[in-house]
Amino acid sequence: MKTLFAVLMALVAQLQLQAQSTAINPSLLTGIWPAAWIACPGAPAREYGVYHFRKTWSLSEKPDHFVVNVTADNRYRLLVNGTPVSSGPARGDLYNWYYETVDIAPYLRSGNNTIAALVWNMGTLAPVAQISNRTAFLLQGNTAKEAAVNTGRDWKVLHDSAYTPCSTDNSERLQAYIVVGPGDEVRGNVYPWGWEQPGYDDSQWANAITIPTGATPVGYGTDNYWTLAPRSIPLFEETRQRIPALRRSDLAQPPTGFPDGQHPLTVPANSTVHLLLDQTYNTVAYPELQVSGGKDAVVKLTYAEALFDKNGQKGNRNDINGKEIKGNTDIFHPDGGADRKFRPLWLRTYRYLQLEVTTAGEPLVITDIYGMRTGYPLQLKAAFSCNDSSLLQIWQTGWRTAKLCAGETYFDCPYYEQLQYEGDTRIQALISLYTSGDDRLVRKALMDFYHSRTPEGQPQGRYPSNRLQVIPTFSLFWITMIHDYWMHRPDDAFVKQFLSAMKDVLDWHERGIDPKTGMLGPLSWWSFIDWVPGLENFSGGAEHNSAIRTLHYAYTLAQAAELAAYFGQTENATHWRQLAKLLNTHTYSLCFDATRGVMADAPSRKSYSQHANIMAALSGALSSKELPQVLQKVLTDKTLSQATFYYRFYLTQALKKAHMADVYYDQLGPWRDMLQLGLTTFAEKPEPTRSDCHAWAASPNYDFLATICGIVPDAPGFKKVLIAPAMGALQEVKGVLPHPAGDITVSLTRNKAHGVTGSVVLPAGITGRFSWEGKEIVLHAGSQQIHL
C-alpha cells in the first residue's frame, strides 16, 4: 500500500504536470531512480567547464513513444540524432531541482540512435540567479522500455577545452549592476565539430563517472546533492527571427539584403570590419552565426539594448550617429571549416548586435546571422482597443516587455539581472493573468519565494539566487501576491499552504514596531522603496522612511486578515485588522501635516513623497473625505518625491480607491515619452535608465483592462466580477479578459448625457455587477446590454 506521503506526492505531481504535455511515471516520484548522476572524470566539480555527453543504442523499430526525464547542474541542452529537443533545467534550488519530461520518439529511428547533451557549469562566474551544487548530468527513462538510455558509466563524455569565459568585466565597463553570467569565447580549431551527430567517433572519449548520491525525488533520501521535482512550467520553444537591418558597416558595398540569409557577406583577408545590426526592437534570443573559411579570424559579437553617445547617454534609441555600442560580448575563432555555427550557451538580450570581424590570411564568409527567439510561452489572449489609437502602441510595447521578462522565472530585466524579485513579480503576475490567463509561472514564483525563506521567516527579496538578499518591503508584496492569486484563481489548497509562512512575515514586522511611536522602527536588511533619491538604496531603518513602511505594513495586514478570515483563522484575522488600524492611527497622528494636507515621510516632517501618501490611501489611514483631497495634491504637488514607473502602479490603485480612476488616462505621459524616445520595451525608470526592458513598467497592460475597462474580481477565485470602467476622456473602449471560466468581454461607448452604453459578456456560471458614477447593474452569465 502506498504511504500517505506517496499519495500526496502523486497529487502534487499531477498538478505540476499540467504544465507539461508528457507525464512522468508516478513510480519515479516515490523513490531513488535507477539512473545515476554522471560527470566527467578528472574534471573539477565546481569550477567553470563545458562538457559533451553521448550515448548510442539500437532500437528494433521506431517507437510511438520514448519518454525520458532529464536535468543537469548547471544547465544542459539535449539533442537526439543531432536535433535539439530540450533545454533546462528550469531554475530552482537544491531542495527543488527541476527536471524536464520529454517524449523523444519523433526524433528516433530503427537501428542506431544517439542521444547527446551539452552540459555546462559557469562556476564562480555563474549568473546570480543560478544555484548549483556541482557539475553533473542525469537522464532517466520513464519506464523499463526506456531504461537503456539511463545515465551511467556506459555514457561517454568529453571536457571541451574550446570554451573559456569572456566579457567578465561587464559591470565595470557599463557602470551598472549586471549579473547574468559571462560571455562565451570559443576556439573553433579545438571544438569537436559534429559531436552530437550519429556516427561521430567518440572512441577516444572517456567513460563517465557516477556521483555517489542517488537521483532522489523531493521527500526521499538522506544524503542528497539535489532533490528532484517535476518541471512546473511548460517547455520552451525556439523560433527563428531574422534581423531586418544592417545599420552601419565598414565595407564599401555590403551585399544588398544582408543579413536575410540569402546574401552572404565576405570579409576580406587581413582586415577589420564592424557590422552594426538592428533588430529594430528589443528581443531575447540565442543568436546563431554561420560562417565558412576565415581560419584564425576573430569574430566579436556585442549585444546592447541601446547605443551610447560620448557622454554615456542613450538618447533616442533609433539614432546611431555619433554613438557606440557597449555591452555583453561573445567571441568566436573560426577554424577555417565550412558551415560552422556559433551559438552562445545562454540567451542574449539585444536590439543592436555588432559583429567586429578581424581576419588573418584568408577571407571569412558570413553566410547567415539570426536569432532563435525564446522565453516563457505566454500567449496573448486578451484584447484592448479604444478611440485613441496611441494606446495600442503602449499595449503592444507593454506586451513585448512582459514577454521578454518571462523566462524560467519572472525576470526583473532580461539584459542586466534576470532575477525574480517580489516587487517586480507582483506586477508581472497580474499582467500574466490579465493578458494570457496563464497562471503557471505565477504559481512557480509564489513557490520559489516560499522555498527561499530565511530562518527569520522572511522570503528572500529575489529568488532563485545564489546570494542572500532580504528586502522587508518585498516580503510584504509576496503576501500581496498570495492575496492576488486567491482573488483571481479558485485554488484554495494551493493558497492555504502559505498561511503559516505569511504569519511569520507579519510577526517579524510586528516585532519591529517602536513602542514609543507605534510605527515601524529601524528594520534590518534593505528596505527598498523606489528608485528615488533617499528611497532607493536604503539599508537599515532611517526614520524618514518609517511612514511608508508602516503604512505598507498596514496595507498588507488588511489583505492578510481577509485571507485568514476566509480560511477560518479568526484570531489572526481579528488581530491583524486591529493592528492595521493602530498603525494607521499612530502614523496619521505623527506624520499627517494638516498645513500641507499630505502625509510626511516621518514624524520629523522633513521630507514628503508621493509614496507615503499612496500607502496612506491604500492602507486606509485617510478618511473618505481626505482621500481625494490628498491624492489631488499627490498629482499636482511637484515638491513631493515623485514615484517612478514601479510605484506609479500603486498610485493607480490609490486613485481607484478614491474613486478618481478617471484621471488614469491622463497619467500615461511617461509611457508616451518612452515611445517618443524610440524605446521598443518599457524602461526601469525615467531617463537616464539602466534597463530598457523592465516588466514593472508594463503595468498599462494590466490597467487598460483592470482600470480603463474596470474588470476586477469581486469575490475570491474570481467567482464574481466587478466592472467599474474609468474611461477618462476616452469615448469608446473594448476589452477581452481571459477568465478561468472563459472570456469576459466589455464594449462601451460614452453617450452625450455623460452616461455609458454598450455590452458585457460573462462566462457561464459567473455573475457580477457593473458600476458607473454611483449607479449599479446586476450582471448575469452570458451577454447583456448596458444603458446608464
Side-chain angles (χ1 to χ4, degrees):
M1 180 179 293
K2 287 188 176 181
T3 65
L4 176 60
F5 180 79
V7 173
L8 291 173
M9 285 301 298
L11 290 172
V12 169
Q14 182 179 1
L15 289 172
Q16 288 177 315
L17 288 167
Q18 292 173 359
Q20 297 191 67
S21 58
T22 304
I24 184 175
N25 183 344
S27 68
L28 296 177
L29 301 170
T30 56
I32 296 176
W33 293 4
W37 285 96
I38 60 174
C40 181
R46 292 184 169 88
E47 295 179 14
Y48 176 95
V50 179
Y51 305 89
H52 305 284
F53 291 86
R54 280 173 55 93
K55 163 88 175 182
T56 297
W57 83 108
S58 184
L59 291 169
S60 59
E61 60 182 3
K62 179 179 172 63
D64 293 331
H65 298 283
F66 198 97
V67 177
V68 298
N69 304 282
V70 57
T71 189
D73 185 346
N74 297 163
R75 302 195 64 81
Y76 76 87
R77 188 181 190 217
L78 188 72
L79 306 99
V80 177
N81 291 325
T83 301
V85 298
S86 176
S87 294
R91 280 177 176 158
D93 55 30
L94 298 180
Y95 184 78
N96 296 273
W97 196 269
Y98 295 107
Y99 57 89
E100 284 70 41
T101 302
V102 186
D103 188 351
I104 64 172
Y107 312 98
L108 297 175
R109 58 202 181 196
S110 62
N112 288 336
N113 290 268
T114 298
I115 189 167
L118 173 65
V119 175
W120 64 92
N121 186 334
M122 294 290 104
T124 57
L125 299 173
V128 168
Q130 182 64 59
I131 294 172
S132 174
N133 190 322
R134 57 151 298 161
T135 306
F137 176 63
L138 174 69
L139 188 141
Q140 169 67 58
N142 209 38
T143 65
K145 170 186 173 182
E146 300 98 350
V149 297
N150 288 358
T151 43
R153 295 180 184 274
D154 56 342
W155 277 68
K156 307 299 286 289
V157 61
L158 174 72
H159 186 176
D160 190 349
S161 62
Y163 283 86
T164 53
C166 66
S167 200
T168 57
D169 62 343
N170 286 333
S171 293
E172 293 79 5
R173 283 188 296 107
L174 296 176
Q175 292 295 293
Y177 184 67
I178 177 168
V179 290
V180 295
D184 301 324
E185 184 165 4
V186 179
R187 293 178 295 146
N189 62 338
V190 291
Y191 184 83
W193 299 104
W195 69 273
E196 74 281 11
Q197 299 293 333
Y200 178 85
D201 182 6
D202 60 12
S203 60
Q204 300 304 308
W205 289 22
N207 284 88
I209 59 171
T210 57
I211 297 173
T213 185
T216 312
V218 172
Y220 291 86
T222 61
D223 194 24
N224 302 342
Y225 285 22
W226 309 267
T227 50
L228 299 166
R231 183 183 178 109
S232 58
I233 57 175
L235 300 175
F236 296 175
E237 296 180 349
E238 297 180 16
T239 303
R240 182 172 297 188
Q241 179 176 260
R242 305 299 326 177
I243 302 175
L246 172 62
R247 293 288 300 276
R248 192 161 59 199
S249 169
D250 296 336
L251 292 174
Q253 291 184 323
T256 301
F258 178 86
D260 60 1
Q262 303 297 318
H263 298 85
L265 182 149
T266 299
V267 180
N270 301 309
S271 62
T272 296
V273 170
H274 297 82
L275 307 169
L276 181 65
L277 306 176
D278 184 358
Q279 186 67 52
T280 71
Y281 53 85
N282 219 354
T283 191
V284 170
Y286 291 95
E288 293 190 347
L289 170 69
Q290 296 180 2
V291 302
S292 291
K295 183 179 181 181
D296 298 326
V298 179
V299 183
K300 181 179 181 181
L301 300 89
T302 303
Y303 313 95
E305 294 183 308
L307 305 183
F308 297 86
D309 65 21
K310 63 182 180 180
N311 298 316
Q313 301 303 307
K314 297 178 181 179
N316 192 295
R317 301 329 193 245
N318 298 320
D319 297 339
I320 67 170
N321 292 335
K323 294 183 178 180
E324 65 175 353
I325 193 167
K326 293 189 295 184
N328 194 15
T329 63
D330 294 311
I331 301 173
F332 177 50
H333 301 263
D335 67 330
D339 299 322
R340 299 307 199 201
K341 179 187 288 187
F342 169 80
R343 169 185 163 121
L345 296 171
W346 185 236
L347 53 82
R348 304 295 186 226
T349 304
Y350 58 91
R351 171 181 170 172
Y352 291 99
L353 193 168
Q354 178 172 280
L355 301 180
E356 179 182 324
V357 184
T358 300
T359 55
E362 65 180 49
L364 177 74
V365 179
I366 302 176
T367 55
D368 205 357
I369 182 167
Y370 51 85
M372 296 298 292
R373 178 172 52 83
T374 192
Y376 187 92
L378 286 175
Q379 296 181 8
L380 183 59
K381 296 182 178 179
F384 175 82
S385 62
C386 65
N387 61 287
D388 181 351
S389 60
S390 69
L391 267 61
L392 177 61
Q393 191 177 4
I394 295 176
W395 172 265
Q396 292 171 336
T397 303
W399 172 246
R400 179 183 293 121
T401 305
K403 285 263 294 183
L404 298 193
C405 292
E408 292 164 350
T409 63
Y410 285 111
F411 297 158
D412 63 324
C413 53
Y415 190 93
Y416 290 88
E417 297 187 43
Q418 298 173 14
L419 285 163
Q420 180 173 254
Y421 293 83
E422 290 101 332
D424 306 68
T425 301
R426 190 264 167 131
I427 299 172
Q428 291 171 274
L430 287 171
I431 295 169
S432 292
L433 293 173
Y434 266 63
T435 56
S436 74
D438 190 334
D439 58 29
R440 292 169 292 183
L441 194 58
V442 180
R443 289 165 56 92
K444 182 178 185 296
L446 285 166
M447 292 302 300
D448 285 339
F449 294 125
Y450 181 65
H451 297 150
S452 78
R453 288 168 297 156
T454 69
E456 295 176 330
Q458 293 271 32
Q460 295 182 45
R462 62 190 187 195
Y463 204 76
S465 172
N466 59 39
R467 302 179 192 172
L468 177 68
Q469 184 187 77
V470 177
I471 306 177
T473 50
F474 280 17
S475 68
L476 296 176
F477 280 133
W478 179 61
I479 294 175
T480 301
M481 284 181 63
I482 298 168
H483 185 274
D484 288 343
Y485 185 81
W486 169 65
M487 289 298 293
H488 288 84
R489 289 295 182 269
D491 200 355
D492 288 359
F494 180 74
V495 173
K496 189 175 182 180
Q497 68 184 314
F498 300 122
L499 295 181
S500 62
M502 182 179 75
K503 184 177 185 300
D504 289 340
V505 174
L506 298 174
D507 288 350
W508 184 90
H509 280 81
E510 187 172 356
R511 292 191 293 271
I513 296 174
D514 183 349
K516 296 179 181 179
T517 63
M519 297 170 60
L520 284 181
L523 297 178
S524 53
W525 306 108
W526 180 28
S527 291
F528 172 84
I529 304 295
D530 193 5
W531 290 120
V532 175
L535 303 179
E536 80 282 29
N537 199 22
F538 181 72
S539 297
E543 186 202 37
H544 71 274
N545 282 342
S546 60
I548 305 171
R549 290 186 287 105
T550 302
L551 296 170
H552 184 182
Y553 180 36
Y555 164 64
T556 310
L557 284 164
Q559 295 170 324
E562 291 181 13
L563 283 162
Y566 178 86
F567 286 102
Q569 296 184 355
T570 305
E571 184 177 347
N572 285 338
T574 300
H575 173 65
W576 290 336
R577 278 194 290 264
Q578 292 174 344
L579 182 57
K581 184 176 181 180
L582 285 172
L583 292 167
N584 282 334
T585 299
H586 292 142
T587 305
Y588 183 91
S589 174
L590 293 170
C591 299
F592 190 77
D593 187 328
T595 302
R596 293 190 61 169
V598 293
M599 190 77 69
D601 289 337
S604 63
R605 304 188 185 181
K606 294 178 180 178
S607 65
Y608 296 80
S609 66
Q610 288 185 323
H611 307 72
N613 292 278
I614 289 167
M615 279 301 166
L618 293 176
S619 69
L622 301 173
S623 69
S624 58
K625 180 180 179 180
E626 291 170 320
L627 189 54
Q629 297 170 350
V630 170
L631 287 177
Q632 187 61 39
K633 289 182 178 292
V634 166
L635 295 175
T636 58
D637 187 349
K638 301 305 179 184
T639 67
L640 302 177
S641 295
Q642 300 291 293
T644 69
F645 306 137
Y646 166 44
Y647 237 76
R648 288 181 74 90
F649 173 85
Y650 294 97
L651 172 59
T652 303
Q653 302 305 303
L655 292 170
K656 291 174 75 170
K657 186 169 182 179
H659 305 291
M660 295 172 62
D662 270 318
V663 305
Y664 171 75
Y665 173 69
D666 296 325
Q667 299 297 309
L668 293 171
W671 284 269
R672 298 182 191 276
D673 291 343
M674 284 188 278
L675 296 177
Q676 286 296 313
L677 280 172
L679 276 89
T680 61
T681 48
F682 289 133
E684 181 175 9
K685 64 185 184 69
E687 296 285 284
T689 183
R690 176 190 62 151
S691 168
D692 272 11
C693 183
H694 221 85
W696 64 28
S699 58
N701 285 66
Y702 167 75
D703 277 313
F704 284 7
L705 294 169
T707 301
I708 293 178
C709 292
I711 309 169
V712 293
D714 204 27
F718 225 151
K719 295 175 182 176
K720 294 182 180 180
V721 177
L722 169 62
I723 300 178
M727 296 170 63
L730 293 170
Q731 297 300 307
E732 298 177 1
V733 298
K734 296 180 180 180
V736 178
L737 183 149
H739 181 280
D743 287 344
I744 297 173
T745 301
V746 174
S747 180
L748 301 171
T749 302
R750 282 185 177 277
N751 60 38
K752 293 181 180 180
H754 305 289
V756 64
T757 61
S759 63
V760 171
V761 180
L762 298 186
I766 303 299
T767 61
R769 55 196 176 103
F770 184 94
S771 177
W772 177 267
E773 296 184 356
K775 301 176 182 178
E776 284 196 354
I777 296 175
V778 174
L779 300 174
H780 56 78
S783 178
Q784 52 242 290
Q785 296 299 306
I786 303 296
H787 296 282
L788 282 175

